[in-house]
Amino acid sequence: VQAGYSVTYSSLYVNPDCWMFNLNHPFSAWSAYVNNVSQWVQVSSTKNQVWVGVITQGRPNFDQWVTQY
């Protein structure tokens, strides 16, 4: 997520590798504190913008990924 975007989580696993998420980052990804289907991430822009898509990617060092939107 680039600077200027607000990020809110349903929960957060407290580990230095789990609080940030960027595509193709070699070792970090958001990871929820609890493992259930009610976990979410919300990204908001501080400017009026048109969002044209969402890209997700699995966690590089664990077998974890988004399965539903």
Side-chain angles (χ1 to χ4, degrees):
V1 175
Q2 296 178 353
Y5 290 85
S6 170
V7 181
T8 307
Y9 314 93
S10 57
S11 67
L12 179 63
Y13 182 76
V14 182
N15 179 304
D17 293 345
C18 299
W19 64 271
M20 59 184 284
F21 50 99
N22 294 305
L23 288 176
N24 300 318
H25 196 281
F27 59 86
S28 68
W30 169 73
S31 185
Y33 184 73
V34 295
N35 185 12
N36 66 40
V37 297
S38 298
Q39 302 308 299
W40 51 267
V41 173
Q42 176 179 307
V43 179
S44 302
S45 174
T46 57
K47 305 174 192 174
N48 288 331
Q49 293 184 322
V50 176
W51 295 70
V52 295
V54 175
I55 299 172
T56 61
Q57 170 178 314
R59 192 170 171 194
N61 53 347
F62 287 95
D63 193 20
Q64 298 173 334
W65 58 88
V66 173
T67 58
Q68 291 182 18
Y69 289 98

